[in-house]
Amino acid sequence: AQKITQTQPGMFVQEKEAVTLDCTYDTSDPSYGLFWYKQPSSGEMIFLIYQGSYDQQNATEGRYSLNFQKARKSANLVISASQLGDSAMYFCAMIRGFTGGGNKLTFGTGTQLKVEL
Amino acid sequence: DTGVSQDPRHKITKRGQNVTFRCDPISEHNRLYWYRQTLGQGPEFLTYFQNEAQLEKSRLLSDRFSAERPKGSFSTLEIQRTEQGDSAMYLCASSLAPQGAGETQYFGPGTRLLVL
């Protein structure tokens, strides 16, 4: 079974500063994918970034980067130059590396990020 | 290209009533997923379709829940005899598969259900 753990229920960061949101995972699958989604108060889950378990380099997408440490089973999200619009709930999620059937996402409990002036 | 859409966005119903939600996926996506999210939790998988075939159902999906994707495009999720415990956000996601570990699911805005 797969499990995602997000230990920070809430985080505060000042505008223009960088912030790291923690995520650890547990799986016995050799191949898997890790995702981060942003959920504003409106409710929609917005895809931010993806990291494959066999990817050699850490994923980056604009101001988002994923600090992937496979041996530690961690996949932390780093947001650089925070903006007020980054205030939202952030979810880490995992998928199996399996092409034979459906790939349901397993989510953590999320981290509520608030960006302050 | 439009994203995933869901209708209605909000639904208030009385206990015992039936409700139906609709999801329209991204047009070329062959997989469609339903998730449920309760307050303070991450989404939990309910069921998924590949084209029109429903291939997996979670044990969370009781007999009162039924989902269809009749022509492999839009999907409906029906809850019969609603209970207060059904109050949640119901999220739909679609993806292009198979892609293994790289299968990115794109979510709709969700339907918030409140059962009184």
Side-chain angles (χ1 to χ4, degrees):
Chain A
Q2 299 181 319
K3 185 176 180 182
I4 295 285
T5 301
Q6 294 181 255
T7 57
Q8 305 156 313
M11 290 280 287
F12 289 89
V13 65
Q14 287 204 313
E15 195 182 21
K16 300 180 186 176
E17 297 290 311
V19 62
T20 298
L21 306 183
D22 294 342
C23 171
T24 58
Y25 61 91
D26 190 24
T27 182
S28 56
D29 294 324
S31 174
Y32 50 89
L34 295 156
F35 298 81
W36 278 91
Y37 286 86
K38 172 184 178 182
Q39 188 176 42
S41 56
S42 58
E44 183 174 358
M45 299 284 284
I46 302 167
F47 165 68
L48 295 178
I49 194 166
Y50 159 79
Q51 178 86 43
S53 59
Y54 291 121
D55 291 344
Q56 295 297 312
Q57 294 192 329
N58 286 345
T60 59
E61 287 287 347
R63 295 186 299 111
Y64 305 108
S65 60
L66 202 152
N67 184 2
F68 180 47
Q69 297 189 40
K70 196 170 182 177
R72 294 186 176 185
K73 293 190 174 180
S74 74
N76 298 340
L77 176 71
V78 180
I79 306 174
S80 63
S82 297
Q83 303 171 355
L84 294 177
D86 294 334
S87 294
M89 194 74 155
Y90 288 81
F91 288 96
C92 181
M94 165 182 275
I95 204 168
R96 298 179 305 171
F98 174 57
T99 57
N103 261 332
K104 59 189 176 188
L105 284 163
T106 299
F107 285 86
T109 51
T111 296
Q112 181 72 49
L113 176 67
K114 179 138 177 75
V115 181
E116 301 174 315
L117 289 170
Chain B
D1 179 32
T2 57
V4 179
S5 61
Q6 292 187 246
D7 184 68
R9 295 290 306 277
H10 303 272
K11 180 72 177 178
I12 300 174
T13 191
K14 292 183 179 178
R15 187 166 54 93
Q17 298 293 306
N18 299 344
V19 294
T20 300
F21 310 141
R22 177 181 170 123
C23 170
D24 286 87
I26 294 171
S27 58
E28 66 269 24
H29 284 184
N30 55 350
R31 279 197 185 152
L32 187 148
Y33 295 80
W34 286 98
Y35 292 84
R36 182 171 69 185
Q37 184 179 22
T38 53
L39 207 58
Q41 300 297 318
E44 293 178 292
F45 169 78
L46 291 178
T47 188
Y48 94 96
F49 293 83
Q50 177 138 341
N51 301 312
E52 66 276 8
Q54 186 176 18
L55 297 183
E56 187 176 349
K57 292 193 287 187
S58 162
R59 57 183 170 80
L60 292 176
L61 213 65
S62 76
D63 292 344
R64 297 184 296 105
F65 287 71
S66 62
E68 293 183 342
R69 194 183 183 198
K71 296 182 180 179
S73 56
F74 73 92
S75 174
T76 58
L77 178 68
E78 182 183 16
I79 309 174
Q80 295 183 327
R81 305 181 302 282
T82 52
E83 301 173 356
Q84 289 181 327
D86 297 331
S87 296
M89 171 81 95
Y90 290 83
L91 291 160
C92 174
S94 70
S95 68
L96 190 60
Q99 295 187 61
E103 182 182 338
T104 300
Q105 295 177 27
Y106 295 91
F107 284 79
T111 295
R112 291 184 193 267
L113 173 67
L114 178 61
V115 181
L116 301 175

